[in-house]
Amino acid sequence: MAIVVSDMELAHRHLQLFDMEPISPVPQTIPADNPAAGGVQAFRFRDVDGHSLELIWFPADKRKPKWQAPGERLFLGIDHSEIAISQTEKSLAFYQDILGLSVASGSNNTGTVQATLDNLPAADVKITSLQPSDQPTSMGIELLEYLQPQDSRPRPQIWQMKDLPHRHLVLDVDSLNLHGLNHHKITIVSPGIVQLPDAYRYSRGVLIKDHDVHSLLLVAAPLF
């Protein structure tokens, strides 16, 4: 998750008061020669269960309107979730053509800053940002295709929902249709569409997996 902050220096200093494992040694600033992300500041770390998180600060020309509201809060909200993928074209066929997300922007991040941010030597990442086409300011998904290094490991098939490394994205959809999922040969984890208890925000859901075995919970029919 990329957590937007109003001041990267203060947020980084605050974070060091808690139990976390840095991925980046210090916050990094994307160079100005990157038109899509130049000036953005980011810091990556792991929480107490080892999940990777990111603090992110946007310059004025890169901010969504909702991150420009005046206020004194340091942590402003979640902008997007990032997932490492094997091939951008295959992921777009799934997230764009089947699930209906739209490409909002894209960039190719490489060089010393990206390598330091990821703690990966010679990191070269093709980044594609996705948003719901009718809600351009909502939380999005960033697809990260690592062109270098090329030793990425697949998600172990034995992982279950109860295992600590597991994480999944929740997507609010207009409708749930098993026939449509089966037509596209999507892996369905749940035993069909599950009726959720009244305590949930949504009344129905189904857990699926994309071609890289990332878990996605599709939910529909909000109760309020």
Side-chain angles (χ1 to χ4, degrees):
M1 295 189 301
I3 303 165
V4 183
V5 299
S6 58
D7 187 307
M8 179 58 75
E9 182 180 351
L10 288 178
H12 179 245
R13 191 184 312 158
H14 177 79
L15 196 62
Q16 294 178 73
L17 301 175
F18 300 90
D19 185 12
M20 64 89 184
E21 176 190 352
I23 296 174
S24 317
V26 294
Q28 301 293 306
T29 302
I30 306 301
D33 60 3
N34 184 326
V40 172
Q41 296 178 357
F43 174 75
R44 291 182 174 166
F45 62 100
R46 299 188 189 280
D47 68 12
V48 293
D49 288 316
H51 299 297
S52 56
L53 302 169
E54 178 181 72
L55 300 183
I56 190 166
W57 176 86
F58 294 107
D61 63 330
K62 301 291 192 306
R63 267 182 233 150
K64 296 175 183 175
K66 65 180 178 180
W67 305 135
Q68 298 184 24
E72 298 180 356
R73 290 187 302 143
L74 181 57
F75 298 94
L76 304 179
I78 300 169
D79 185 76
H80 61 269
S81 290
E82 301 173 351
I83 54 175
I85 60 169
S86 60
Q87 189 176 17
T88 300
E89 289 71 24
K90 286 184 178 180
S91 289
L92 286 179
F94 180 86
Y95 288 94
Q96 180 176 247
D97 300 342
I98 298 176
L99 296 185
L101 299 176
S102 299
V103 175
S105 63
S107 65
N108 188 236
N109 291 12
T110 187
T112 303
V113 169
Q114 189 66 38
T116 305
L117 179 65
D118 290 343
N119 194 19
L120 288 173
D124 184 355
V125 193
K126 182 178 181 180
I127 300 177
T128 306
S129 298
L130 302 175
Q131 295 278 161
S133 56
D134 59 342
Q135 298 182 44
T137 62
S138 74
M139 287 185 285
I141 299 175
E142 276 196 356
L143 308 177
L144 309 182
E145 180 184 355
Y146 278 84
L147 307 176
Q148 294 291 338
Q150 295 185 331
D151 57 353
S152 301
R153 295 166 293 180
R155 180 185 187 276
Q157 294 282 356
I158 61 172
W159 277 5
Q160 296 181 316
M161 289 282 289
K162 64 182 177 63
D163 294 322
L164 293 183
H166 174 84
R167 73 288 308 272
H168 63 266
L169 301 177
V170 180
L171 278 74
D172 182 354
V173 298
D174 292 330
S175 63
L176 292 174
N177 187 313
L178 282 183
H179 175 74
L181 296 175
N182 289 324
H183 172 74
H184 291 291
K185 299 180 179 180
I186 293 174
T187 300
I188 302 175
V189 180
S190 307
I193 295 174
V194 177
Q195 299 298 315
L196 302 176
D198 291 345
Y200 282 71
R201 181 175 181 180
Y202 299 91
S203 62
R204 298 178 300 145
V206 60
L207 190 70
I208 66 172
K209 292 184 178 179
D210 68 8
H211 62 285
D212 284 320
V213 205
H214 296 299
S215 296
L216 302 160
L217 177 59
L218 307 183
V219 293
L223 297 177
F224 56 89

